[in-house]
Amino acid sequence: MRKTITTALAAVLLAAVTACGGGSGGSAGNSSDDTITMGFAQVGAESGWRTANTKSIQESAKSAGIELKFSDAQQKQENQLKAIRSYIQQKVDVIAFSPVVETGWDTVLLEAQRAKIPVILTDRAIDSDDTSLYKTFLGSDFIDEGKKAGKWLVENSDGPVNVVELQGTTGAAPAIDRKEGFEAETKSNPDIKIVASQTGDFTRSGGKQVMEAFLKSQPDIDVVYAHNDDMGLGAIEAIKAAGKKPGTDIKIITVDAVKDGMTALANGEINFIVECNPLLGPQLMDLAKKVVAGEEVPERVVTEETTFTQEQAKAALPDRKY
Amino acid sequence: MTRSRLLWPLLALVALLLLNLVFTPSFFALRIQDGHLFGSLVDILRNGAPTLLIALGMTLVIATRGIDLSVGAVAAIAGAVTCTHIATTGDAIGGMALALGLCAVLGLWNGFLVSVIGIQPIIATLVLMTAGRGMAMLVTEGQIVTVNNDVFAKVGAGFLVLPIAILISLAVLAGVALLTRRTALGMLIEAVGVNPEASRLAGVRSRTIIWTVYVFSALCAGVAGLMIASNVNAADANNAGLWIEMDAILAVVIGGTSLAGGRYSLTGTLIGALVIQTLTTTVYTIGVPPETTLVFKAAVVIVVCLLQAPRLTRTFRVPVPQKAGA
């Protein structure tokens, strides 16, 4: 008993202080044969989007009769690696996770493969040559989201436009892809220039602090492109503090469409939001059942998504679930 | 002795500010916007206020040869409790009082583990570091709680010409300086840090002093948590004050306070906290690419710490006759 506690404490210490994986605090497997056990390693609860995503997965697991083991990695890859390894030790039936960053997963996924546990990626992709490491990837097309944002700007701007970009967590798939898609779409118009781009870590305080600095270092800002709503909401606070009017003096484009973001859009403080649907739970449980039953599943499943202008937001807001 | 230790961090701060001036000529520009000062320097003060406040609490804890890893989690709890209370009742003052009361209890818990049970501080406060964030998540039910309250918004984003947040932090700094340097309290804290047992035998109430510094540290973290939440009008249980304990410890160390306890410098902590915030603002202002941000920060910190190292200091300075410590 004491040894277990010591090991667990050591694992916690490792997670908190250093950056190496390989903890072994899990207990032995206890999965019964009838119900499916799913180990889900979530990124964290860094934004309203993520918490809606978590809720959807937890609720649909319950209604699908799947036993869910859930872990929160607090945006740290090493925590996620540790969670996945403990799921392998516990011999769960299927592992699902949203990778914090794109790279560095090959070893742990190989371990899962050797233990014959199928892996489903949700929401974010990984960067690996070996696609046999996971069964399927369920999630949004982030490049397309970036393109939608860029397209709206191209269609709704005339004359020179200076854009500042608030990136997501450095190295994360949505940050890389939303940047790429946006750049690809706006490249056609030489008047649109991205004058500054920094990471706000997908958080409100991050968005606010970066925007404050931009407002001082960039003399002319026409548009803010934020990789998620929360950073956009932080930027709104910074713009207000600088005595400018968000949505009018400086236009704001964001991705996600969570409730707070949609409210700001309906109030005219944001100009355009590209939706990124977090309610993947039901689709994920379907896929999990198929994968465990050994059925073939498509390698890529894209979630259905739309975009919102201010008028559309006003109409859609009363019915939004998150 | 103290003066020369503060020289390098101070130079680092000036160098960072000058670097900004080179890249952004208008960096030092200040103007009045809606009745308050507006400019990059003001941003540094306002965004640095929570780190400074937490670092102050940390300084005293470290002076007793302890450490408090739970401050980030305590900050998150304070923000979560306040925002949830405001969201349900609309009462900002009550919410803040409730949050700070809870923080005092959390500080009592830390102090109890360290001074009465005798657990090593790093382990004792690790308990709350991990569990505390979970508690904050429970309070907010994992959601980001957005509030709209004018009184609460003042704490982190309000101005009385200068940002209210930094005024609070500086007031606490002045209070601590008066209380510990004008009375014997500071010496007693240092005595406990040098040797708790010996000071107890000499008549110092070690246990009470250790207990007090942990409560003070938790209260500082609580107020900082209020600032962080108020700044964006939302309680983000997962991110509020994340890793701020590391920033605070770094600020204390840059300021020349020894982690071995027994000696501390409040001015040093002030400079340390400013260096850290200036560093962050610099990254955004001069446009260091996000991929290299951490390397840039690490390089600056390493240089500052190396310059403070006694052996290097001795090599680069004109030798001053000094007695070797025991």
Side-chain angles (χ1 to χ4, degrees):
Chain A
M1 188 62 197
R2 174 165 296 171
K3 204 171 177 188
T4 327
I5 295 173
T6 321
T7 322
L9 248 178
V12 172
L13 235 177
L14 267 177
V17 183
T18 71
C20 25
S24 55
S27 56
N30 57 342
S31 59
S32 62
D33 286 323
D34 304 342
T35 53
I36 296 175
T37 311
M38 172 191 274
F40 190 88
Q42 182 62 286
V43 175
E46 76 278 13
S47 61
W49 189 95
R50 186 66 58 190
T51 52
N53 179 242
T54 299
K55 221 173 169 180
S56 162
I57 287 163
Q58 286 169 337
E59 280 169 4
S60 46
K62 202 180 269 174
S63 60
I66 289 177
E67 193 191 325
L68 184 71
K69 290 180 189 296
F70 186 86
S71 77
D72 178 327
Q74 300 199 328
Q75 291 101 271
K76 291 273 156 195
Q77 183 174 30
E78 64 264 26
N79 291 351
Q80 228 173 10
L81 287 171
K82 214 169 298 168
I84 295 172
R85 289 211 165 95
S86 100
Y87 292 145
I88 296 174
Q89 279 185 350
Q90 294 172 44
K91 302 194 177 71
V92 296
D93 298 310
V94 53
I95 292 174
F97 75 110
S98 305
V100 175
V101 293
E102 281 194 338
T103 52
W105 301 103
D106 289 22
T107 320
V108 72
L109 292 185
L110 213 60
E111 286 167 29
Q113 199 174 47
R114 283 200 198 110
K116 302 208 169 55
I117 300 175
V119 174
I120 301 175
L121 302 180
T122 70
D123 163 45
R124 296 179 178 184
I126 60 168
D127 187 6
S128 169
D129 298 330
D130 188 358
T131 53
S132 73
L133 289 176
Y134 55 92
K135 290 284 177 214
T136 178
F137 166 38
L138 164 69
S140 320
D141 187 339
F142 297 131
I143 296 189
D144 198 46
E145 287 170 0
K147 280 186 179 164
K148 284 179 192 163
K151 197 166 162 223
W152 182 85
L153 182 60
V154 171
E155 284 167 2
N156 289 276
S157 65
D158 49 282
V161 179
N162 287 334
V163 183
V164 293
E165 184 180 33
L166 301 174
Q167 297 181 31
T169 310
T170 308
I176 295 170
D177 291 353
R178 283 174 191 165
K179 185 177 196 309
E180 190 185 319
F182 186 80
E183 279 169 0
E185 198 65 30
T186 51
K187 212 184 282 170
S188 59
N189 187 341
D191 280 343
I192 297 175
K193 237 171 57 192
I194 301 175
V195 289
S197 180
Q198 278 289 340
T199 172
D201 264 327
F202 282 132
T203 65
R204 282 189 208 184
S205 13
K208 180 171 183 182
Q209 238 190 85
V210 175
M211 192 62 204
E212 277 171 352
F214 282 169
L215 282 164
K216 275 117 202 167
S217 62
Q218 301 295 335
D220 244 348
I221 300 174
D222 303 306
V223 174
V224 176
Y225 168 47
H227 287 184
N228 77 343
D229 287 346
D230 286 301
M231 288 192 293
L233 291 168
I236 289 176
E237 306 259 345
I239 294 169
K240 279 186 193 161
K244 291 186 175 158
K245 215 168 167 258
T248 316
D249 296 335
I250 296 179
K251 291 203 166 71
I252 301 176
I253 307 170
T254 68
V255 185
D256 271 2
V258 294
K259 191 149 200 182
D260 286 342
M262 289 291 276
T263 314
L265 181 63
N267 292 339
E269 291 181 331
I270 293 179
N271 300 75
F272 187 68
I273 296 186
V274 179
E275 188 191 35
C276 181
N277 189 357
L279 307 179
L280 311 170
Q283 269 176 298
L284 174 63
M285 298 309 148
D286 269 2
L287 283 172
K289 281 180 180 168
K290 282 184 186 162
V291 164
V292 172
E295 289 174 39
E296 277 297 310
V297 288
E299 227 170 77
R300 177 82 172 89
V301 182
V302 181
T303 41
E304 271 186 31
E305 285 161 352
T306 172
T307 59
F308 293 98
T309 61
Q310 292 177 344
E311 290 72 34
Q312 285 164 334
K314 273 179 205 154
L317 199 54
D319 303 328
R320 291 294 274 188
K321 282 213 184 91
Y322 55 93
Chain B
M1 186 70 181
T2 319
R3 222 153 286 268
S4 69
R5 270 181 195 284
L6 291 185
L7 179 69
W8 289 111
L10 201 57
L11 278 181
L13 183 60
V14 172
L16 276 175
L17 290 172
L18 287 179
L19 181 69
N20 275 298
L21 193 63
V22 172
F23 277 88
T24 323
S26 63
F27 190 76
F28 286 94
L30 290 174
R31 64 183 160 89
I32 300 288
Q33 172 77 48
D34 302 330
H36 63 75
L37 280 173
F38 178 87
S40 299
L41 295 179
V42 180
D43 284 350
I44 291 176
L45 288 180
R46 212 196 63 239
N47 289 325
T51 315
L52 171 59
L53 197 52
I54 288 181
L56 281 176
M58 190 71 79
T59 308
L60 295 188
V61 171
I62 287 177
T64 66
R65 210 194 282 175
I67 201 150
D68 188 350
L69 295 181
S70 70
V71 286
V74 172
I77 291 176
V81 168
T82 310
C83 286
T84 315
H85 188 79
I86 293 175
T88 44
T89 66
D91 170 23
I93 305 289
M96 289 191 269
L98 188 68
L100 293 183
L102 184 60
C103 290
V105 174
L106 294 173
L108 282 172
W109 164 254
N110 277 337
F112 171 74
L113 289 184
V114 174
S115 68
V116 180
I117 308 281
I119 302 177
Q120 286 176 17
I122 196 166
I123 301 296
T125 55
L126 188 65
V127 174
L128 201 53
M129 176 190 183
T130 335
R133 208 159 276 285
M135 284 160 66
M137 302 276 278
L138 272 181
V139 172
T140 61
E141 292 170 344
Q143 304 292 317
I144 296 178
V145 181
T146 308
V147 293
N148 246 322
N149 186 301
D150 288 339
V151 180
F152 183 56
K154 289 271 183 294
V155 179
F159 285 89
L160 283 172
V161 182
L162 281 171
I164 290 177
I166 193 68
L167 293 178
I168 296 175
S169 295
L170 289 179
V172 174
L173 173 67
V176 173
L178 274 179
L179 200 64
T180 61
R181 290 309 192 198
R182 293 284 161 184
T183 69
L185 187 59
M187 201 185 67
L188 298 184
I189 289 174
E190 288 178 335
V192 170
V194 173
N195 190 332
E197 193 52 29
S199 15
R200 193 184 65 80
L201 292 174
V204 180
R205 297 168 71 179
S206 304
R207 181 177 288 182
T208 316
I209 285 183
I210 292 178
W211 211 329
T212 312
V213 293
Y214 280 96
V215 173
F216 176 68
S217 171
L219 278 175
C220 284
V223 177
L226 295 183
M227 291 175 185
I228 294 168
S230 153
N231 190 27
V232 289
N233 285 316
D236 186 345
N238 192 57
N239 288 303
L242 194 61
W243 311 123
I244 204 167
E245 56 275 355
M246 296 302 160
D247 278 355
I249 294 170
L250 192 58
V252 175
V253 171
I254 288 180
T257 296
S258 159
L259 282 178
R263 182 168 55 80
Y264 69 92
S265 160
L266 293 171
T267 324
T269 298
L270 171 67
I271 297 172
L274 287 178
V275 167
I276 288 171
Q277 186 55 45
T278 309
L279 197 51
T280 308
T281 307
T282 304
V283 164
Y284 299 147
T285 310
I286 70 176
V288 177
E291 294 81 9
T292 50
T293 299
L294 291 176
V295 176
F296 176 78
K297 283 188 175 181
V300 174
V301 169
I302 289 172
V303 168
V304 174
C305 289
L306 279 181
L307 287 175
Q308 277 178 297
R311 181 162 291 191
L312 273 178
T313 328
R314 240 175 281 142
T315 318
F316 286 117
R317 257 187 326 145
V318 188
V320 183
Q322 50 177 229
K323 288 198 173 127

